[in-house]
Amino acid sequence: MAIFSVYIEDGCIVCDACEEAAPNVFEVTDDTCFIKPDVRIDGGYDRNEGKSGLKAEVISAFSDDILDAADACPVDVIIVVEGTGEEPPEPEETAAPEPEEMMTEEVVAEPVELSGDDLEGLLATGDRSMSIMFGSQSGNSEDLAAKFAKRASGYGLDATVVDMDGFDLSTLPSMKRVLIICSTWGEGEMPDNAEELWQQASTDSAPKLPGVHFTVLALGDTSYEFYCESGKDWDRRFEELGATRLVERVDCDVDYDSAAAAWALDALAAMAAVDGNGTFHEDQVEAIKDYVSGAAAAGAAGEDGFVVPNITTEAIQVEINIFRYNPVTAASGRDTWICALPGHMSVLEVLRVLKATHDGSLTFRDGTCDDPTTAISVNGRLVLPGNVRLDSVAPTRDGGLRLRIEPLPAFDVLRDLVVDHWTLERKRESAKPWMVAATREGADTAQGVMGTMDPVTATSLHSMTDFSSAPLLHSCSDATPHSEEYLGPSVLVGTWARIHDPRTADSNREGLQTVIDSRNGIKAETDLASIRRQNDSSRVVAEALLDARTSALSRDSFNGRHGKHVWWYTWTVKSSGRVNDTVIYRQVLGPMGLMGNLFSGVTARMVFGFTRTGGKVFNDLLGMFAPPAGIGKMPKQFNSQVDNHHEVVAIFNEVDGRF
């Protein structure tokens, strides 16, 4: 009888007896013994529990050594599987235990075409483990590894983040899927946590990797001579050791977010196309991308079911004008591209295409379609670019359309379309957004005592804070681009919600109300219409802010004649769009007031020259004195058009200050 296979059962005591008897077949590790990949048909590196056959030349040369090793094993965990003939026998002809399992392995290992339900089976069955190895000096590679590990579950992968520091190189051949994210340190050197592993992998004794599928993301800095050298080294070494590259290496500059995100989309889909036996189904990669994105998701099944169509459109000519800013030279300008693109592409996908094919220095925040930080301005509309189709942001004329893409207003621009959100975070911090809870009643549930809330109240609180992006909502206001102090709608609506949250302690509610009533609170907002027209959820936000402003004015600005003046001034501007002061003083002063002002000259000055939109109501109070002291002190802006609603806030606050 000839040897067909050999494997190691549990219980190895790592005594080195087998390796001494057959060093070409056995390799003792720290805690067990492995069958080397060079001698196995499947190229695996483990205890060969799957009983893969040995290569014919190995059987011919080392059969006696294998039998000697089995005899020398003091705990009898080396199991030799015998068969007939020179060639490895078919599974049903072997004397190996559980031949049915061997037959199943042979069948599954063959590439098969998958689609529909089979695709779901591919993503949900068998070994779905994946290792993400990182080499990091400053933490960027480690952060990316953790980020992509979270996304992997959506591809049916069980990802493990692996620090190269202390990694056991001998376990690498047993891994089917490996992502490598490595930065370069100094002049082309490995990061500190990767140096030792690299030295081991560079030796001639490094294990072969015929069953490993890999791809590399390299981080570096183009200002250095050896740009991304460490990533290039790992990419080359894995190929030399026999591993299969599924996605080409991507080299990233210091601005790596966009390139890394694009690499992850391709890498995760490719790794997901590797089945439980280590077979790569290349034809399923695009199907997996569609499946994960939901583009190919089906609706309800059955006679009354439906299938959501994958809607595509013909290519259209697009003229794309993008704002550019270089912080190094402080130079700004615009770049224009004319491209033929499918109309169903999202604006975010368009930016990715431009960066990948036209200008790699184009900078924007990349992320998922609903990532709140990606918000930009497209043709004057504030949008999340991943949620907006190309053909929906502008009318198509003569078979083409024009896009004007700019960064969000109300923020400092860092580079191109990327703005600094830190100013908004500081304002949010100043509003003390943390919860100071009150003692309240609860219900005893299976999960323990849980607080209760009236459903109507809960729905109201949720709806007013259910906006897609705080930076986007902040930029909707006409006032925020012109006032660095104004807290902005996203901060104020959150504060207003916490005031009405029954969970808020009374001691904290008073402080929150002070934020709403402050000079930089809701009274600094100019026109809620700009917020209301943004989208459906913004209408609820606008209603909440209107309630907040009414509440603030009712406490300190509706009292007395001047409070009424403020109310009517605001009302007439919003209703007519004009600074129509005749309406104001007629309503505020009344007939007796008008008669009195006829003799003081105030009426004449209000008729022929009241105030400049955005300026002071009275210049140094001179307009209150008898003529001719105040004549000519106020510019002629009677019944003037209000072009910029934010300018109204200056008059509003001045009048509210009781002159």
Side-chain angles (χ1 to χ4, degrees):
M1 298 291 287
I3 292 176
F4 164 64
S5 178
V6 62
Y7 65 96
I8 313 295
E9 288 185 336
D10 290 332
C12 177
I13 61 173
V14 293
C15 65
D16 296 335
C18 56
E19 188 172 3
E20 292 177 1
N24 295 302
V25 178
F26 300 92
E27 181 174 338
V28 178
T29 65
D30 291 339
D31 53 3
T32 187
C33 180
F34 282 176
I35 309 300
K36 290 187 174 182
D38 291 342
V39 303
R40 297 164 51 170
I41 292 176
D42 66 353
Y45 182 70
D46 52 28
R47 296 187 312 183
N48 197 19
E49 294 170 294
K51 308 173 185 63
S52 170
L54 302 179
K55 296 178 180 179
E57 60 271 21
V58 173
I59 295 172
S60 175
F62 304 115
S63 290
D64 292 338
D65 293 342
I66 294 172
L67 293 173
D68 291 341
D71 292 336
C73 180
V75 290
D76 296 325
V77 295
I78 300 177
I79 307 302
V80 177
V81 180
E82 296 182 339
T84 58
E86 296 293 331
E87 295 297 327
E90 293 297 326
E92 62 271 14
E93 297 176 359
T94 67
E98 300 178 349
E100 293 81 7
E101 290 188 11
M102 294 172 58
M103 181 181 296
T104 301
E105 283 191 358
E106 292 297 327
V107 172
V108 175
E110 295 178 0
V112 294
E113 293 187 4
L114 301 170
S115 61
D117 294 337
D118 293 335
L119 178 59
E120 296 185 12
L122 170 65
L123 301 181
T125 59
D127 179 8
R128 303 299 297 164
S129 62
M130 179 180 70
S131 298
I132 306 180
M133 303 175 62
F134 70 86
S136 184
Q137 191 72 29
S138 60
N140 292 335
S141 296
E142 183 177 3
D143 290 344
L144 288 176
K147 178 180 179 180
F148 297 148
K150 293 180 181 179
R151 295 185 187 177
S153 60
Y155 292 80
L157 296 169
D158 181 15
T160 302
V161 177
V162 179
D163 190 336
M164 290 186 179
D165 187 16
F167 176 72
D168 185 358
L169 185 64
S170 65
T171 63
L172 189 57
S174 63
M175 299 177 178
K176 295 183 178 67
R177 309 170 187 89
V178 177
L179 303 186
I180 302 170
I181 305 176
C182 189
S183 62
T184 297
W185 181 248
E187 296 300 326
E189 301 169 5
M190 287 284 169
D192 290 344
N193 76 314
E195 181 61 33
E196 183 178 351
L197 183 64
W198 172 248
Q199 296 299 330
Q200 298 174 18
S202 301
T203 64
D204 294 337
S205 61
K208 301 299 182 183
L209 310 175
V212 176
H213 299 83
F214 79 100
T215 180
V216 176
L217 178 69
L219 304 185
D221 187 340
T222 51
S223 63
Y224 287 85
E225 179 181 359
F226 298 100
Y227 172 56
C228 290
E229 191 66 23
S230 295
K232 295 175 182 177
D233 288 341
W234 281 114
D235 188 51
R236 181 177 59 256
R237 187 54 180 161
F238 263 62
E239 184 179 38
E240 292 172 351
L241 294 174
T244 302
R245 182 188 298 105
L246 295 188
V247 175
E248 291 297 323
R249 184 191 72 251
V250 171
D251 299 334
C252 300
D253 203 351
V254 289
D255 180 22
Y256 57 81
D257 288 333
S258 178
W263 171 83
L265 291 175
D266 292 334
L268 292 175
M271 292 297 166
V274 177
D275 65 22
N277 286 322
T279 302
F280 176 47
H281 299 272
E282 184 177 3
D283 58 325
Q284 293 301 308
V285 173
E286 292 302 321
I288 290 173
K289 290 182 180 179
D290 291 340
Y291 177 85
V292 173
S293 66
E303 294 181 358
D304 297 329
F306 62 92
V307 174
V308 178
N310 184 15
I311 301 175
T312 60
T313 61
E314 298 293 332
I316 54 179
Q317 181 170 298
V318 187
E319 180 181 314
I320 306 173
N321 183 275
I322 300 180
F323 176 85
R324 305 299 299 272
Y325 173 70
N326 187 334
V328 177
T329 61
S332 63
R334 293 181 177 274
D335 282 339
T336 302
W337 290 277
I338 299 178
C339 314
L341 298 168
H344 65 273
M345 289 183 67
S346 71
V347 176
L348 185 58
E349 289 174 325
V350 172
L351 292 174
R352 290 170 180 163
V353 168
L354 289 177
K355 184 176 181 67
T357 61
H358 288 72
D359 187 349
S361 66
L362 177 61
T363 307
F364 55 91
R365 293 189 188 274
D366 202 345
T368 59
C369 60
D370 56 354
D371 187 334
T373 66
T374 61
I376 55 175
S377 172
V378 181
N379 287 3
R381 287 177 52 191
L382 307 181
V383 300
L384 295 182
N387 286 337
V388 179
R389 284 169 56 115
L390 181 61
D391 55 8
S392 69
V393 292
T396 302
R397 294 188 176 91
D398 300 325
L401 56 84
R402 294 182 177 181
L403 295 187
R404 185 182 72 259
I405 302 179
E406 300 168 317
L408 284 181
F411 294 98
D412 291 334
V413 178
L414 297 178
R415 188 183 185 99
D416 296 347
L417 303 178
V418 176
V419 297
D420 184 8
H421 293 151
W422 183 239
T423 54
L424 177 58
E425 291 303 314
R426 287 201 300 268
K427 292 175 181 178
R428 182 170 176 267
E429 181 183 1
S430 70
K432 300 181 179 179
W434 44 87
M435 170 65 73
V436 179
T439 302
R440 60 195 181 103
E441 295 182 355
D444 192 4
T445 69
Q447 290 80 26
V449 178
M450 184 177 298
T452 58
M453 186 183 297
D454 177 67
V456 175
T457 303
T459 301
S460 174
L461 292 175
H462 176 73
S463 61
M464 74 173 67
T465 56
D466 187 25
F467 45 85
S468 58
S469 169
L472 188 150
L473 179 60
H474 185 74
S475 297
C476 286
S477 168
D478 286 340
T480 48
H482 306 279
S483 174
E484 294 182 357
E485 293 79 17
Y486 174 41
L487 295 175
S490 65
V491 173
L492 292 176
V493 76
T495 304
W496 185 245
R498 283 186 290 118
I499 289 176
H500 290 83
D501 193 328
R503 297 169 296 182
T504 300
D506 292 339
S507 58
N508 187 43
R509 189 172 283 110
E510 183 178 348
L512 296 173
Q513 193 65 63
T514 302
V515 173
I516 292 289
D517 295 346
S518 67
R519 185 177 182 85
N520 297 321
I522 191 59
K523 288 187 290 185
E525 182 57 73
T526 58
D527 187 7
L528 296 174
S530 60
I531 300 172
R532 181 185 298 272
R533 61 174 172 260
Q534 178 62 29
N535 53 46
D536 291 339
S537 63
S538 295
R539 283 195 286 271
V540 179
V541 172
E543 292 294 335
L545 292 175
L546 178 60
D547 291 340
R549 184 159 68 179
T550 301
S551 172
L553 293 177
S554 67
R555 274 187 297 278
D556 58 7
S557 295
F558 281 168
N559 303 325
R561 185 181 63 184
H562 301 311
K564 294 179 181 179
H565 194 159
V566 171
W567 193 93
W568 280 108
Y569 187 86
T570 305
W571 180 88
T572 186
V573 170
K574 298 301 185 295
S575 61
S576 68
R578 294 178 178 275
V579 183
N580 195 335
D581 304 301
T582 57
V583 176
I584 302 172
Y585 72 73
R586 187 178 302 137
Q587 296 288 349
V588 175
L589 301 178
M592 296 304 295
L594 289 175
M595 292 295 295
N597 284 338
L598 287 175
F599 301 100
S600 66
V602 172
T603 297
R605 284 192 295 278
M606 293 182 76
V607 171
F608 295 107
F610 184 66
T611 180
R612 180 177 180 80
T613 305
K616 295 180 179 180
V617 174
F618 299 97
N619 291 321
D620 300 326
L621 303 183
L622 292 179
M624 295 297 293
F625 295 100
I631 296 178
K633 296 297 182 181
M634 290 175 284
K636 295 181 179 181
Q637 291 293 320
F638 170 70
N639 205 31
S640 62
Q641 180 70 38
V642 179
D643 294 322
N644 298 309
H645 283 86
H646 68 273
E647 295 177 351
V648 176
V649 76
I651 303 174
F652 181 95
N653 288 333
E654 194 71 29
V655 174
D656 185 41
R658 310 297 197 274
F659 300 144

